[in-house]
Amino acid sequence: MNRFRTACQTLDEFIVTAEVAPPKGADPSQMIEMVRLLKGRVHAVNITDGSRAVLGMSSLAASIILIHHGVEPIYQLACRDRNRIGLQADLLGAQALGIRNVLALTGDPVKAGDHPDAKAVFDLESVRLLQAIDKLNQGKDWNNKTLPDGATDLFPGAAVDPQSSSWSGLKSRFERKIEAGAQFFQSQLITDFDRFDQFMTEIADSSKKPILAGIFLLKSAKNARFINKYVPGVCIPDSIIDRLEQAKHPLEEGILIASEQVKIARELCHGVHIMAVKREDLIPKILDLSGIKPLF
């Protein structure tokens, strides 16, 4: 299972990934059904790690389940809940279990989630987690001690927010992640494609690393307003909210909007990362409308 890695390294095809949240429970059947519908349509599927600080099945365990069902995972690993010992332990476990793609994340603040009194760790953050992965890939632990069983072969990626309010901060952090070993980037939700184009031209293109634009399926005007209110750094414009508000069938309009955004992204970057929370079954329709053919 290395089609995603190959696509990232050769950049000879438009890359598509999708995001699936593990269940808040021990029954993976719904997740498996969603993933089954994505098989053959995406290069890999991200498994979130406590997104929005909400409890869910271990992303490591869920990634293994995907492999068992013939789908290549991107294992998300957040620094919020583990110290450097736990993070390295899980990465070694991922290597042993056949997981290769890792998205290194700092993690959402605990206060945002369903266990607001939990104790956050944040021993590392995303840049230093990327550095830890790079060390493991060189056969060393965080303390530069040699791993007795040899180096790992993990393929690390990172998140990026091209709509960040601080352009200099965005550029600095992007460059630090490149220096730390990031091999691909998945962006946060994109709504301002002019700014995204500027990010690609002025910051990202020179890196020669694949950038996947974050495309979010908005299901209604209410859904869009909720995201604007509760998801930091996101600003869905009134023009999109008005389209959803006036649509006879808001969900169908949301699918159309997402497909239009995929078409724009095809002209600007190397791929898309599609987020359709709890409606991953609609991702193939978004891809069909945007002219993205099944993988072969």
Side-chain angles (χ1 to χ4, degrees), residues 13-15 190 193-194 196-201 205 211-213 215 258-272 290-292:
E13 58 182 317
F14 191 71
I15 305 167
I190 299 296
F193 282 90
D194 289 335
F196 181 67
D197 186 16
Q198 183 183 6
F199 163 74
M200 290 299 303
T201 303
D205 279 348
I211 310 294
L212 279 59
I215 307 295
S259 69
E260 292 168 359
Q261 292 175 337
V262 172
K263 288 179 182 177
I264 296 171
R266 290 185 78 176
E267 302 301 318
L268 300 177
C269 63
H270 311 96
V272 288
S290 57
I292 305 293

Side-chain angles (χ1 to χ4, degrees), residues 11-295:
L11 297 180
D12 60 359
E13 58 182 317
F14 191 71
I15 305 167
V16 181
T17 60
E19 189 165 288
V20 174
K24 187 174 180 176
D27 181 0
S29 57
Q30 178 66 18
M31 179 188 72
I32 292 169
E33 178 60 20
M34 291 297 104
V35 167
R36 185 186 66 80
L37 296 171
L38 296 173
K39 194 172 182 179
R41 299 308 309 263
V42 302
H43 291 80
V45 172
N46 281 57
I47 293 294
T48 59
D49 183 19
S51 178
R52 295 183 297 111
V54 173
L55 172 66
M57 180 187 288
S58 157
S59 58
L60 180 60
S63 294
I64 297 164
I65 292 171
L66 259 63
I67 290 177
H68 289 167
H69 286 83
V71 175
E72 185 171 353
I74 298 175
Y75 163 48
Q76 291 192 3
L77 183 60
C79 298
R80 178 192 56 242
D81 306 320
R82 307 164 184 83
N83 64 16
R84 65 193 68 188
I85 299 171
L87 290 166
Q88 291 176 99
D90 281 356
L91 288 165
L92 293 173
Q95 169 76 27
L97 292 164
I99 297 166
R100 294 295 178 266
N101 309 311
V102 183
L103 189 74
L105 301 170
T106 298
D108 299 314
V110 166
K111 296 295 184 185
D114 60 353
H115 288 65
D117 295 325
K119 182 178 290 187
V121 180
F122 294 118
D123 184 25
L124 305 181
E125 42 69 55
S126 58
V127 173
R128 292 202 293 166
L129 178 55
L130 286 165
Q131 292 170 347
I133 295 169
D134 187 58
K135 285 176 180 286
L136 293 177
N137 282 344
Q138 295 177 46
K140 298 179 180 180
D141 68 12
W142 181 259
N143 293 325
N144 291 316
K145 299 288 182 61
T146 300
L147 298 174
D149 298 322
T152 57
D153 182 32
L154 300 168
F155 189 62
V160 64
D161 183 9
Q163 297 177 172
S164 170
S165 58
S166 171
W167 197 251
S168 60
L170 170 62
K171 185 175 187 295
S172 172
R173 193 153 180 81
F174 180 82
E175 291 173 349
R176 286 176 63 207
K177 288 181 178 182
I178 291 287
E179 185 178 351
Q183 299 298 311
F184 66 93
F185 288 84
Q186 293 173 319
S187 92
Q188 308 288 6
L189 184 162
I190 299 296
T191 54
D192 185 344
F193 282 90
D194 289 335
R195 187 170 175 82
F196 181 67
D197 186 16
Q198 183 183 6
F199 163 74
M200 290 299 303
T201 303
E202 297 182 12
I203 296 178
D205 279 348
S206 62
S207 74
K208 306 301 181 184
K209 302 296 182 185
I211 310 294
L212 279 59
I215 307 295
F216 195 95
L217 172 61
L218 297 167
K219 305 174 187 71
S220 66
K222 180 181 178 181
N223 178 218
R225 292 191 185 101
F226 177 89
I227 291 169
N228 272 349
K229 184 175 181 180
Y230 292 105
V231 179
V234 173
C235 183
I236 298 167
D238 290 339
S239 58
I240 289 179
I241 295 175
D242 290 344
R243 277 184 65 176
L244 293 165
E245 192 93 78
Q246 296 165 15
K248 186 176 180 180
H249 301 289
L251 180 58
E252 291 298 319
E253 190 69 18
I255 293 170
L256 183 59
I257 290 168
S259 69
E260 292 168 359
Q261 292 175 337
V262 172
K263 288 179 182 177
I264 296 171
R266 290 185 78 176
E267 302 301 318
L268 300 177
C269 63
H270 311 96
V272 288
H273 176 58
I274 305 180
M275 297 162 277
V277 181
K278 297 182 180 179
R279 289 308 311 261
E280 292 86 358
D281 57 302
L282 296 175
I283 290 176
K285 185 172 183 179
I286 293 170
L287 295 173
D288 288 339
L289 287 172
S290 57
I292 305 293
K293 296 180 180 179
L295 304 178

